[in-house]
Amino acid sequence: MRSGVMSTGEDARIFPDVEACIDCGGCVVACKRTWDVPRDEQRISVATMMEGQEAAQGLNANSARALQEGKKPGETSIPMQCYHCENAPCVSVCPTDSLVKKGDGFVDVRDSLCVGCQYCLSACPFGAPQFPESDDGSAQIVGNGNVMDKCTMCEERQSETGKGPACAEECSTDAILVGSADQIADELERRDADVFFNDVAMDIIFGEDAEVFGG
């Protein structure tokens, strides 16, 4: 496994190290190839902010620290996907219980219950829910008729083979970290990398475990 994949399976979390991301798109390609995701759909994307701009002096390699200090972060690329949040807003707002937070930590979509209302898309701070244009007709009651799709964190791959998510395994710079909250926090500390997200986002993603990230 890649060094960014520290453990898999039950209670494993996924989280980006934005300082390591170089916007190569390898994670997007790995996901599409592994799960046969159509060309015009994606379960993971890389969002780049302030493209081509420099950070404040001395902070080009640490945009998270720049933000914490109220300074210009410069170009920053962020792998965006479903982080299988502990306090998942998508689960809270789903009117049909299509989205569930499972006992093993994964946020799952039950296709047969999704009515395409897109409440989850409005609630998710990370843009994870996707609504492909076509479906088998199961979501025609209300909404736009599309069944929601998102990153599964390769749950099946993890449980059956012990391998990490395809995006993390094929990330050339180990920018996608997989493991327990403690393992991820320790790895970021080892790299001298700061957390890019604010306290509100960290509470959504990790719940009480967010405290292991300090600051």
Side-chain angles (χ1 to χ4, degrees):
M1 292 192 293
R2 300 285 310 186
S3 62
V5 181
M6 295 159 284
S7 64
T8 60
E10 186 171 354
D11 296 326
R13 310 307 304 273
I14 192 164
F15 193 71
D17 173 5
V18 301
E19 314 301 347
C21 181
I22 58 173
D23 193 16
C24 67
C27 55
V28 179
V29 173
C31 178
K32 286 182 179 291
R33 184 179 64 248
T34 302
W35 299 108
D36 197 24
V37 177
R39 171 183 259 179
D40 58 348
E41 300 170 20
Q42 54 190 26
R43 292 178 173 178
I44 181 173
S45 62
V46 180
T48 299
M49 56 178 278
M50 302 185 72
E51 187 169 1
Q53 298 185 37
E54 291 189 5
Q57 185 174 4
L59 291 170
N60 266 331
N62 203 319
S63 55
R65 189 168 300 161
L67 286 176
Q68 291 170 11
E69 295 178 5
K71 299 178 181 178
K72 184 179 176 181
E75 180 171 314
T76 305
S77 295
I78 314 164
M80 299 289 279
Q81 63 199 101
C82 178
Y83 297 127
H84 296 262
C85 301
E86 183 64 27
N87 297 319
C90 60
V91 174
S92 299
V93 302
C94 181
T96 62
D97 292 329
S98 170
L99 283 154
V100 292
K101 176 76 172 176
K102 298 168 60 178
D104 56 10
F106 295 95
V107 174
D108 192 32
V109 185
R110 297 185 287 189
D111 291 351
S112 62
L113 296 178
C114 180
V115 295
C117 68
Q118 298 196 12
Y119 287 3
C120 55
L121 179 58
S122 298
C124 177
F126 312 110
Q130 304 295 314
F131 290 85
E133 294 182 357
S134 61
D135 65 274
D136 62 4
S138 64
Q140 297 294 340
I141 301 172
V142 297
N144 63 5
N146 297 341
V147 174
M148 193 268 264
D149 184 50
K150 69 173 186 65
C151 157
T152 65
M153 213 171 102
C154 293
E155 178 182 5
E156 181 180 346
R157 172 184 164 108
Q158 289 192 54
S159 62
E160 293 184 359
T161 68
K163 294 181 179 179
C167 59
E169 290 282 9
E170 299 195 34
C171 179
S172 60
T173 60
D174 292 316
I176 300 175
L177 305 177
V178 179
S180 68
D182 285 323
Q183 288 173 324
I184 292 172
D186 288 346
E187 179 62 14
L188 288 173
E189 183 177 8
R190 186 188 71 79
R191 298 179 182 190
D192 194 27
D194 291 302
V195 171
F196 186 77
F197 296 124
N198 63 26
D199 291 344
V200 174
M202 291 299 287
D203 182 64
I204 289 172
I205 297 171
F206 289 103
E208 293 181 357
D209 287 341
E211 65 184 20
V212 303
F213 292 87

